[in-house]
Each structure stands twice: as C-alpha cells, then as structure tokens.
Amino acid sequence: MIEPIKILGVPVHPMTMRQAVDGLEQRMLAGEQTFVVTANAEIIMMCQEDAEYNRIIGQEAELVLPDGAGAVWAGRHLGYNVPERVAGFDLYNKLLALSAKKGYRAYFFGGSPGIAEAAKAKSEELYPGVQIVGCHNGYFTDADVPAIIDAINKSGAEMLFVALGAPKQEKWILEHRNELKPRILMGIGGSFDVLAGKMERAPKWMQDASLEWAFRLYKQPSRFMRMMALPKFALKVIFSSSK
C-alpha cells in the first residue's frame, strides 16, 4: 500500500484508479478486509469538526482515496505528488466491472426503498455478468441490523457497498465491520441514486474542469450551506501550508 499523505491531518493515499482497483483485489484475494473511504473536501472538513469521524478516517480505514478536485488540489498545493482524482462513483463502477469480469460478488446496502434494486438492474445492463447477490434499503432500525448483517454474510458477497451518506455510512461500517464477512467495505454516498438515474451526474467536461461541485449546487440548491465547506477548506489548506 502506498504511504498516505496528510491533508489537514487526514491521511490520504495518493493512488491512481488502477492502483486502487488492483490493490483492493489483491487484498481481497489475500483474505484481508479493507475499509475504503473516498475523501473529498467535505469529508476532510467533517473530520475537523467531528473527533469520532476523524478517528475513523485517520485510524480505522485502511484506504483513504482523494475523491474530488479539492482533495487533489490540496495535496498538490502542500507539495505532494497526487496523480489523479479517484472518485467514489468511478471506483464503485470499476469494482462492478471487475465483478462482471471475474465473478466477485457484491451487496448493495442503503438508499431509498427501491433504489438499490434499480442500481442493481442498471449494473446488470452496464456490466453483463455482474454478481449483485443482495440489496437492502437504508431505512432500518437498530433492531433490524442483526438480520441485515446476517443477510449480507449469507449472500457470500466479497464487496459491500454502503450508501447511507457521510459520516453515517463510515460510522456504521466501523461499528459492524467485525461482524461483516465481505472483504471490501466501502461507503459510496449517493452512488446508487446516480447509477439508478435518480440523480444526474455532472457532464464529463465539468468533471474534467473541476466544476462538478457547481453542477451539484445547480441541481440541488439545498446543498448551498454544505458547499460553504469548500472555501473554508481551501483557506485552511492555504493557511496550513504557510506555517
């Protein structure tokens, strides 16, 4: 595993998408469980304000990847070699393609009722042969959790994708990881919604131009206050580099 860099105290592994996929497959085949976090500027800022979340990302996750132009910019601004952005949605799709190619099994947990199933159907259309062995929505009580974990484990899934939103998904994974049998445990936010077509992703030219945040704000004006984390993040990074 590549040594992590530190962005505002948060460890981030400066890997390419190819390195991330290959590394996860190798660890999975070796029987090692990997807790994956794709850390954008919002997540790194959450770590500044939530000590528990900071500990989870900094000490419990084995792989923290630079998701978002802000994380890539910050790493480079601080003098590190950050080769590229490894977006959570893209990594999720690369792992689904790997499932289709090699038969690895995946389980979809989270999202609104019916969304995981819709994402499963779209996955099967995009990646013929993909092995999605179970789905469960993100509406549950504490009393439901043992049955959910039992269903995940009995499915034989090697990869578990959890779409509960940050920080809830990472906190849930950490709380239950010792009970979970899948080898890849990854929080993916709204990726089921995007794959299912419920939420539109920015055009590729906007992704390439580091403007995906603007597209998301245009589509979801209610995210305005959350987006305020971005200029705060940039200022904190600039200030930290000047010390």
Side-chain angles (χ1 to χ4, degrees), residues 55-186:
R55 183 185 66 79
I56 291 170
I57 306 302
Q59 300 178 31
E60 303 292 345
E62 283 80 26
L63 185 61
V64 182
L65 295 163
D67 179 349
V72 174
W73 166 81
R76 292 173 179 172
H77 180 80
L78 293 169
Y80 299 111
N81 176 26
V82 183
E84 65 182 17
R85 172 192 183 199
V86 183
F89 180 76
D90 296 332
L91 177 58
Y92 164 53
N93 276 267
K94 292 288 186 183
L95 292 172
L96 292 178
L98 189 66
S99 164
K101 182 179 179 181
K102 297 193 176 180
Y104 302 136
R105 292 156 295 193
Y107 195 101
F108 290 1
F109 172 44
S112 301
I115 291 298
E117 288 81 3
K120 175 179 184 291
K122 188 62 176 179
S123 300
E124 291 166 347
E125 178 186 327
L126 292 173
Y127 308 109
V130 68
Q131 300 294 308
I132 313 300
V133 292
C135 297
H136 194 287
N137 66 57
Y139 289 72
F140 60 94
T141 66
D142 289 345
D144 298 324
V145 171
I148 292 170
I149 292 173
D150 189 53
I152 291 168
N153 290 339
K154 284 181 176 176
S155 74
E158 287 99 354
M159 300 184 286
L160 172 62
F161 298 105
V162 182
L164 300 177
K168 183 178 180 179
Q169 59 198 17
E170 284 79 27
K171 291 183 178 183
W172 190 91
I173 288 171
L174 178 63
E175 183 179 357
H176 301 291
R177 71 175 298 180
N178 291 335
E179 306 164 66
L180 291 162
K181 291 183 179 179
R183 295 305 178 189
I184 295 175
L185 308 174
M186 179 177 168

Side-chain angles (χ1 to χ4, degrees), residues 7-12 35-58 61 63-68 70-71 86-88 162 165-171 186-190 216 223 226 229-230 233:
I7 300 176
L8 301 182
V10 177
V12 176
F35 179 4
V36 187
V37 176
T38 53
N40 58 17
E42 283 184 69
I43 284 178
I44 294 172
M45 286 301 288
M46 284 181 198
C47 289
Q48 311 306 301
E49 299 160 4
D50 183 333
E52 179 192 3
Y53 196 47
N54 187 53
R55 183 185 66 79
I56 291 170
I57 306 302
L63 185 61
V64 182
L65 295 163
D67 179 349
V86 183
V162 182
K168 183 178 180 179
Q169 59 198 17
E170 284 79 27
K171 291 183 178 183
M186 179 177 168
I188 59 169
R216 293 175 71 185
R223 293 180 62 91
R226 286 182 63 183
L230 301 180
F233 171 76

